[in-house]
């Protein structure tokens, strides 16, 4: 299911928006407990679809996503709708406002099917949720869904919607995208408005799409940015692509290492120039990124934590406990380190256009493998899962994750990182790689 | 208010053993992972403007007061 395909069918009269919503309802119903939805808004979507169908039938102009069914992480507010934030039921509330990004999607004619499951308060890269569990991974049986935009990854992976909004503070778009074999696009920090969306860490919070393809992702992003980014692909110019030579990107599985070699070879075949770069220093950004995220999350949650500490799941409560240990000096120093890192990265982007890194160190891990780990080993595993995601988050850089190789046990995803506001260049490059690697399609 | 009292206030109750351990571990990690971060130390060396350790008065040029 792609946005281009849906629009083609709608324009040709082979499908109707109402029909597409009814198909989605049937799929969600058939999924039963495997449904990734936290709250369905099917009546609302049918009303939107009816308006779109009438507009098409009468020849009125329609928006670029008119009739395309979408659904979003359970932290995007729509006036009058319940927002759960993946938290204890007592933390749910009815929104009084509508997120700016939903307003923009509404104006483009997109249909909103409802809210999707997520990690509690968007904290947790595995996708497991203390209160609500997690939907099963639709493409890798028994594997984690990744988080925190777990439901968004699953809904796209299941083919219920061609795209879904997620949020990314330390990898929460790109990690579930990689786990579910779909594309995840984290834009430059500040490019997409975050008003009336649950905050976590305002220095790093970004909104972006998880999508069935690069084309789907960029079409949605173009609407979110009101056309600041292109909704269509162009042939990628010859670019300078940087590959890490340090231990940072070497500590990965043999399969992931092989996928990186394949990606590098393909980029050279496509006329790009590959460059060796020592990016070992990126590993040191993990702690400053965590300090910024936890200090800001601790501030966001301070009042609620004091009065309702035990309504938080164990994992989230323990992470938020870290915030109490972070002094103002440590937080400010972490912000200074972030500034230094951004300057250093700006120098690197004078010599290369794009950095290519693995998205995860391996295929998505099995839930049973995580369950068997002791607390300390689990912590190391979580750090390993986020280490390639965090640098772009803390430096506010755009990054796109796309599956390039499908092993018999799950997808292996590549991450492309660019300078601020290089979304179009990243999407063009990702689209060409996606096309080249389509010779390794997802197993049926 | 001691750091422990601040933690009690933050959680709204005394911490569990696990919460206290996380709190103490985080303080250590900040010490080595942020306050003396290699990028910061490198920049300080280059510019000479940063104060390496605010607790060390000599670094601020006034330890004899």
């Amino acid at each position: 299911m792609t946005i281009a395909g849906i629009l083609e069918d709608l324009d040709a009269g082979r499908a109707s928006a109402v029909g597409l919503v009814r198909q989605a309802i049937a799929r969600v119903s058939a999924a039963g407990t495997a449904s990734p939805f936290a709250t369905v808004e099917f009546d609302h979507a049918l009303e939107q679809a009816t308006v779109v169908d009438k507009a098409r039938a009468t020849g009125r102009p329609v928006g670029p996503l008119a009739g395309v069914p979408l659904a979003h992480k359970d932290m995007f507010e729509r006036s009058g709708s319940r927002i759960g934030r993946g938290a204890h039921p007592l933390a749910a509330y009815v929104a009084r406002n509508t997120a700016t990004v939903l307003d923009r999607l509404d104006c483009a004619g997109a249909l909103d099917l409802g809210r999707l499951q997520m990690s509690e308060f968007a904290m947790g890269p595995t996708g497991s949720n203390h209160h609500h569990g997690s939907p099963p991974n639709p493409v890798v049986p028994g594997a984690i869904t990744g988080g925190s935009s777990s439901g968004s990854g699953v809904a796209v992976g299941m083919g219920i919607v061609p795209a879904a909004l997620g949020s990314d503070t330390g990898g929460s778009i790109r990690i579930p995208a990689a786990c579910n074999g779909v594309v995840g696009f984290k834009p430059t920090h500040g490019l997409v408005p975050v008003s009336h969306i649950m905050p976590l860490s305002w220095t790093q919070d970004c909104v972006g799409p998880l999508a069935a393809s690069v084309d789907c992702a960029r079409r949605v992003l173009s609407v979110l940015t009101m056309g600041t980014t292109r909704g269509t692909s162009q042939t990628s110019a010859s670019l300078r692509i940087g590959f890490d030579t340090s231990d940072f990107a070497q500590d990965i599985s043999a399969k992931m290492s092989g996928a990186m070699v394949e990606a590098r070879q393909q980029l050279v075949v496509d006329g790009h120039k590959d460059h060796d770069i020592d990016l070992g220093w990126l590993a040191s950004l993990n702690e400053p990124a965590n300090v910024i995220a936890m200090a800001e999350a601790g501030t966001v949650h301070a009042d609620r934590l004091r009065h309702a500490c035990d309504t938080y799941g164990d994992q989230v409560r323990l992470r938020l406990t870290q915030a109490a240990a972070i002094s103002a000096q440590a937080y400010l120093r972490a912000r200074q380190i972030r500034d230094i890192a951004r300057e250093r990265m700006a120098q690197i982007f004078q010599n290369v256009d794009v950095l290519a890194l693995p998205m995860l160190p391996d295929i998505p891990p099995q839930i049973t493998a995580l369950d068997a780990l002791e607390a300390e080993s689990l912590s190391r595993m979580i750090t390993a899962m986020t280490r390639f995601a965090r640098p772009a988050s803390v430096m506010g850089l755009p990054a796109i994750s796309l599956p390039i190789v499908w092993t018999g046990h799950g997808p292996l995803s590549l991450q492309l990182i660019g300078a601020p506001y290089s979304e179009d260049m990243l999407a063009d490059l990702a689209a060409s790689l996606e096309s080249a690697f389509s010779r390794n399609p997802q197993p049926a | 208010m001691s750091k422990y009292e601040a933690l009690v206030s933050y959680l709204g109750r005394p911490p569990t053993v696990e919460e206290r351990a996380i709190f103490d571990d985080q303080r250590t990690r900040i010490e080595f992972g942020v306050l003396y971060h290699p990028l910061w130390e490198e920049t300080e060396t280059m510019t000479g403007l940063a104060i390496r350790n605010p607790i060390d008065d000599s670094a601020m040029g006034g330890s004899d007061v």
Side-chain angles (χ1 to χ4, degrees), chain A residues 240 343-353 419:
Chain A
R240 301 163 298 171
E343 285 172 23
R344 180 176 283 207
M345 192 53 85
Q347 289 169 3
I348 288 175
F349 280 127
Q350 289 180 356
N351 299 316
V352 298
D353 302 300

Side-chain angles (χ1 to χ4, degrees), chain A residues 241-246 275-280 348 352 355:
Chain A
I241 318 288
F243 286 83
D244 180 39
T245 55
S246 75
H275 292 256
D276 286 336
I277 300 183
D278 184 343
L279 295 172
I348 288 175
V352 298
L355 296 174

Side-chain angles (χ1 to χ4, degrees), chain A residues 3 65 68-73 76 101-102 105 110 116 149-157 161-168 171-178 180-188 191-194 197 205-225 229-231 359 398-403 423 427 430 434:
Chain A
I3 292 176
L65 297 177
V68 176
L70 304 176
H72 312 297
K73 192 175 184 177
F76 291 87
V101 286
L102 294 193
L105 290 171
L116 299 164
S149 309
S150 49
S152 303
V154 171
V156 177
V161 289
L165 293 188
S167 69
D168 194 316
S172 287
I173 288 174
R174 293 161 286 157
I175 291 170
N180 292 285
V182 302
V183 172
F185 204 168
K186 182 200 99 67
T188 305
L191 181 63
V192 175
V194 294
I197 296 164
D205 289 346
C206 288
V207 169
L210 293 88
S213 67
V214 174
D215 180 71
C216 292
R218 74 184 311 164
R219 283 173 188 261
V220 172
L221 186 64
S222 181
V223 169
L224 301 184
T225 63
T229 56
R230 256 191 291 115
M359 191 61 249
I400 189 165
S401 161
L402 71 156
E423 279 80 0
E434 183 182 58

